[in-house]
Amino acid sequence: MAALAYTGGKREINYYFSVRSAKALALGAVLLLTACHTASRRYRGGDTCEYLLSSGRFLGEKVWQPHSCMMHKYKNSEAKNCLIDKHVVFIGDSRIRQLFYSFIKLINSQVKEEGIKHGNIPFEDKSASIKVDFLWYPEVNGSMRQRIKSWTEGSVAKPHIIVVGAATWSIKIHNGSNEALAQYKINITSIAPLLEKLAISSDVYWVLQDPVYEDMLSESRKMITNEKIDAYNEAAVRILNSSSRNSKAKVKVFSVSKLIAQETIMKSADGLHLPESSRDTNAMILMNVYCNKIMKPIDGSCCQPQPPLTLIQKIAFCFFTLSIFGYLIISLIHRNNYRKNKTCTDLESGEEKKPAISTPNVSTVEMLLHCFCKLGLIMTYFYLCDRANLFMKENKFYTHSSFFIPIVYILVLGVFYTENTKETKVLNREQTDEWKGWMQLVILIYHISGASTFLPVYMHIRVLVAAYLFQTGYGHFSYFWIKGDFGVYRVCQVLFRLNFLVVVLCIVMDRPYQFYYFVPLVTVWFMIIYATLAVWPQIVQKKANGSCLWHFGLLLKLICLLICIYFLSYSQGAFEKIFSFWPLSKCFELNGNVYEWWFRWKLDRYVVFHGMLFAFIYLALQKHQMISEGKGDPLFSNRVSNVLLFISIVSFLTYSIWASSCKNKTECNELHPSVSVVQILAFILIRNIPGYVRSVYSSFFAWFGKISLELFICQYHIWLAADTKGILVLIPGYPMFNVLVSTFIFVCVAHEISQITNDLAQIVVPKDNSTLLKRLLCIAGFFSGLHFFSAMQDQSRH
């Protein structure tokens, strides 16, 4: 009964919720969300600087998350580059002095708070010609007004950034009297026009007063209450910018510090001054407000304007637009012809006759336009998610629960969709799809949860990436060894399926090829496998069956490959010279050099070789009938199977213990290329030695495995955000619901792109050699044009 209910439940789900209906629902969700976000930005405003200065929340205890955008964590070198030749002034009381010190520590972390408490404090970084001054003006009075006025008169050099704020001294000195508040209003009214005048050419920030922790205040400060502070803040907000009609002459109100203080003031040493972590957060917000538009950090979306369209992006937009219109026109013509021919009347009898052809034939051009039409709409969604400032973005924040709980969920779903395999061979197609599927889902959870900060998880994910490359070596070696097909058609099909989506994204999202590092990695390894086996003498299984010497010849080839890998991995100079030649340099450079490519290649340098060697040994054992692959049968004899299972489990656990004891990524990454194969082989043996385990697979994981490449690439822009540095926010305020909706759309898009790629592969890479040659010439022309426009684009940028 339980089995029947289980099977019936799966059938009900599959009947009522098909892939097609899911995609229609995803399309509706995208249109609705786009309309909502567009309306929200139009009526509520979409200035992320305003959000950064006024709203946000804590992720955990120390990580501040601004509303709707991402905050970059500036290093000393980045802060210097941004503020080079700049003059920054902080004016106010002891709270502003604290902010001043936190700010200059972003420029020079060695600075100590040793200045005069009630006096001016200068700071200068001569290497970058940066001046930052603190001016002691604890009250908003005539003295402060005179100092500010001096910058508005004559040819006096104006500071580039002015940060002002004061009130607590007025409350303290005048014992919180209403007369002091009235005078404060008069004084700030006289200063406001001067600040607004300075704001035309400088960035001017008025820092609102943070709340206090009244229970901790000393007796001399008891009159500083939160009620009084709120009154002073209300007066400042009401008066500032009240006379300004010019949007450029606005004083920016720094109110976010109030929100930060509300959460952290309890940790204050005296109830008045913020703890150091909160001051540092405020300083980092200031740096983001000013520097993001200058430095344009990938993970700093706050205050960044939408990047202008490049020449290549404009051409791509025109191409997709023409494809959409072309497909609509052809579809209308075909539909119109079909309606005319659907029924015709016999003039003699007056009866309707059916035409000889009942449905119109879909031409290659129409199919091509249909694919590009769908792809154009999908790429529009990509651009809106990660280039246009339409949808929101947030920083990642890791907790153990955010990683491990989703892992448990997908494990339960994977077990629920367990079915019998069609064949029971080791690493059969269903099993490898399942393997790719669950690995991809774990990697996705790893990325969205920000689990790379937790070293044991990082090391296990590195094994999963290595396992993908192991399958690359195993799968391609097995195909060439068994089939002996080294034709151009096979090579072009594989290269097209691997690279099509990435090439389109490089154009639409204006990113280099190496940015999507995994695709270049599997592409190069495929070409290495092909070259190793295709070069003379070509040794395949059919030829090797005639003589054992051919097996030694193949092993000799593999040994030569291993020597080359070893040499390149320890000769960075030789590796970089190879990939620095044009046109390889255009593909593998990132930020002007190929170091990132060398690092990625070196990290898993042996695992593809291990996959090839495993495939050779496995196929040899299979050929000589030394393993049993019958349904329900163990792979070896019971004794051998038990010993191998025990060794595999111990090896698997040993690696996990070692990964958990790693001290830093550098040390672990050095050992990873040599030891990752241990856990991969252990998993293969555990998964395949027991006959029952080998005879079943999870169709849930296998479904995801079939689109694993598309999932891996699409996550960069429509599930994560800011090129994987953050998280896409479609539904703000509801993190769990947002992840569910964005995941649903993301998976549907990845599946549709997989189908588009398969359809285009049949058109672009035909089996006929003469036609294929013509298509290859067209592709060469396309890349030549792309290189020409890229050169024009680079020239215009410089």
Side-chain angles (χ1 to χ4, degrees), residues 641-662:
S641 294
N642 290 335
V643 170
L644 287 176
L645 270 177
F646 176 77
I647 294 171
S648 299
I649 292 169
V650 170
S651 301
F652 198 89
L653 294 175
T654 301
Y655 179 90
S656 294
I657 294 168
W658 170 78
S660 300
S661 62
C662 273

Side-chain angles (χ1 to χ4, degrees), residues 23 39 62 116 165 260 305 447 463 486 514 528 553 614 662 688 693:
K23 288 177 183 176
K62 294 184 179 180
I116 305 168
I260 295 169
H447 281 150
V463 174
F486 296 99
Q514 180 55 34
I528 290 172
F614 176 82
C662 273
N688 287 277
V693 177

Side-chain angles (χ1 to χ4, degrees), residues 714-727:
C714 289
Q715 67 167 324
Y716 277 67
H717 303 295
I718 62 168
W719 196 52
L720 304 174
D723 297 338
T724 75
K725 302 295 183 182
I727 299 170

Side-chain angles (χ1 to χ4, degrees), residues 604-631:
D604 294 299
R605 57 188 178 271
Y606 298 127
V607 75
V608 174
F609 170 80
H610 291 144
M612 296 169 69
L613 187 62
F614 176 82
F616 175 72
I617 294 170
Y618 162 67
L619 292 171
L621 292 174
Q622 187 186 61
K623 184 69 179 177
H624 292 90
Q625 298 181 347
M626 297 178 69
I627 53 177
S628 175
E629 295 180 303
K631 189 171 184 179

